[in-house]
Amino acid sequence: MSGPDVVVVGAGPAGCAAAITLARAGAGVVLVDRARFPRDKCCGDGLTASALRHLEELGLEPATVPSWTPVRDVAVRSPSGRTIELCLPADGLHAAVARRRDLDLALLERARAAGAAVLEEAPVTAVERAGSGLRVATGNGGTFAPGYVIAADGAWSPTRKLLGLTAPAGRYLGDWHALRQYVAGVGAEAARRLWVWFEPDLLPGYAWSFPLGGGRANVGYGVPRRPGVRSGPMGALWEALLDRPHIRAVLGPAARPEAPVRAWPIPAAVDRSLLTGMGGRVLFAGDAARATDPMTGEGIGQALETGTAAARSILVAGPGDPGLAGARYTAELAAGLLRDNRLADLLSRQLGSALGARAAVRAAGLSAWTRANFARWMWEDYPRAVLTTPRRWRRGGLHPPGAFTGPGGGADRAR
């Protein structure tokens, strides 16, 4: 039985962020995933300014992500039909789109290059106490004795289930539902611009078209799950959305499906999620911590943030103080991400009516200043609740430069 310092379960953005952070600091890390990469992952594929800065800090090279598509131009359509055009700042990259199949593989290779041992097709079958640490077993016969586990293994975390921390079956079905389809042959509007449609029957959800280069786009919609309200067939609603004239006009007459429709649930309840287990020996990150933004359903930036925070907490605490690791991790999220998501949840309720959504879009479009600042806020150019968290105040904090500003950084990569 070998004994790495940490076993990270799940090689998505949260797990890779944790593995890279730990390996860079000299910790022994094993990163395991039940899949073989590259693998598809249901997602809108959008990268906010926050996600991009995390990716840059982790050393990701945009050139290693084949579908990497910078975004400058954004259009938002109100429930009334009013459309406002937004332009993201030119000082670096503030938004991008990349297929998760490509992005996750690039992050996995980055973790490997940083020094993490990577095991694919290795589902975790046991996580249990063993002496002063843990015993972790995988389905391919691997057995490890780490001091910690970072569980970044999705909304229905197998690690949480193995520890007996899962709610009774059927209780939790996610906080959002989303559906996406890759579309080829899109028109000029969809090819160059990121579109958000606040449709009256989706509020506070929305539909989107995110450009992917080569005349392709990720097109889909997301809606919050409402307690006690059964959603209709998502596929039927999707067909109806695609038939709406204003959406057809953006996608263009030659647009055609490139891949099947995929739907998935989104966990957005970090304030109600269990973040630690086994006295701090196990830390949950990403979707396993239900860390997605409750207003937009975006989760890549939050996954990167929680994975990095979990790794930092372990590095500070060291092998002998799991209680400190768990407390530090919980406190860091409480001081930042939880506040951001609570504010986002409140704002999402304001967008739940057509009147509220119309008012928000109208206010955003009042002037060049409001358009610029709405774009920054919507794409998480700074933490949502930064004004209520003085520890995060920085000079110029509301107008930070974008990511990947260096030569070859991807900010101006041709689409």
Side-chain angles (χ1 to χ4, degrees), residues 20 32 71 128 155 222 231 256 278 308 344 348 374:
I20 293 167
V32 303
V71 171
E128 55 196 20
S231 300
R256 64 187 186 282
M278 285 195 165
T308 302
S348 178
F374 179 77

Side-chain angles (χ1 to χ4, degrees), residues 81-100:
R82 174 190 177 94
T83 297
I84 61 171
E85 297 179 1
L86 310 173
C87 186
L88 292 165
D91 56 343
L93 192 55
H94 295 259
V97 184
R99 292 182 191 242
R100 286 289 301 278

Side-chain angles (χ1 to χ4, degrees), residues 357-410:
R358 287 199 303 268
V361 175
R362 185 181 302 113
L366 287 175
S367 67
W369 185 90
T370 58
R371 287 192 295 273
N373 283 277
F374 179 77
R376 282 186 179 272
W377 179 82
M378 190 171 183
W379 268 270
E380 298 178 24
D381 212 11
Y382 49 82
R384 295 209 188 280
V386 67
L387 296 180
T388 65
T389 49
R391 74 178 186 85
R392 297 190 288 184
W393 292 356
R394 304 285 187 275
R395 181 180 296 275
L398 296 181
H399 298 86
F404 300 109
T405 56

Side-chain angles (χ1 to χ4, degrees), residues 19-286:
I20 293 167
T21 303
L22 290 162
R24 279 177 166 179
V29 186
V30 176
L31 175 61
V32 303
D33 197 288
R34 63 185 178 183
R36 173 166 288 280
F37 287 68
R39 55 93 177 97
D40 190 24
K41 183 72 174 179
C42 286
C43 186
D45 296 335
L47 298 170
T48 62
S50 172
L52 291 166
R53 292 192 185 98
H54 282 297
L55 292 171
E56 184 175 33
E57 289 169 3
L58 292 170
L60 180 81
E61 296 289 343
T64 65
V65 185
S67 54
W68 187 270
T69 306
V71 171
R72 297 288 185 200
D73 301 313
V74 178
V76 179
R77 187 179 192 271
S78 162
S80 67
R82 174 190 177 94
T83 297
I84 61 171
E85 297 179 1
L86 310 173
C87 186
L88 292 165
D91 56 343
L93 192 55
H94 295 259
V97 184
R99 292 182 191 242
R100 286 289 301 278
R101 177 183 176 89
D102 299 335
L103 177 67
D104 290 8
L105 177 61
L107 280 171
L108 183 72
E109 294 303 327
R110 185 76 197 93
R112 201 191 307 268
V118 176
L119 297 179
E120 301 175 64
E121 298 180 298
V124 169
T125 57
V127 178
E128 55 196 20
R129 292 189 183 277
S132 60
L134 301 171
R135 174 184 172 274
V136 177
T138 63
N140 63 353
T143 306
F144 307 95
Y148 293 92
V149 165
I150 294 178
D153 48 355
W156 291 280
S157 166
T159 302
R160 181 181 276 112
K161 184 177 181 180
L162 288 168
L163 297 179
L165 302 176
T166 304
R171 287 270 183 93
Y172 184 70
L173 299 174
D175 301 282
W176 278 65
H177 296 289
L179 176 151
R180 67 103 163 106
Q181 187 167 40
Y182 289 122
V183 176
V186 299
E189 276 296 311
R192 74 178 183 87
R193 184 176 286 170
L194 186 154
W195 278 83
V196 173
W197 294 285
F198 288 114
E199 298 293 288
D201 53 340
L202 298 183
L203 295 174
Y206 60 95
W208 70 76
S209 174
F210 292 173
L212 272 168
R216 292 175 170 82
N218 179 318
V219 186
Y221 76 91
V223 290
R225 171 177 285 278
R226 296 175 175 85
V229 178
R230 292 181 60 85
S231 300
M234 296 189 73
L237 177 55
W238 178 235
E239 294 299 327
L241 283 170
L242 290 179
D243 199 40
R244 295 178 184 180
H246 57 280
I247 294 180
R248 288 205 316 268
V250 169
L251 296 181
R256 64 187 186 282
E258 186 181 53
V261 170
R262 298 286 300 275
W264 72 104
I266 297 174
V270 67
D271 57 338
R272 303 189 301 277
S273 177
L274 186 67
L275 300 177
T276 70
M278 285 195 165
R281 290 284 181 197
V282 178
L283 306 181
F284 296 96

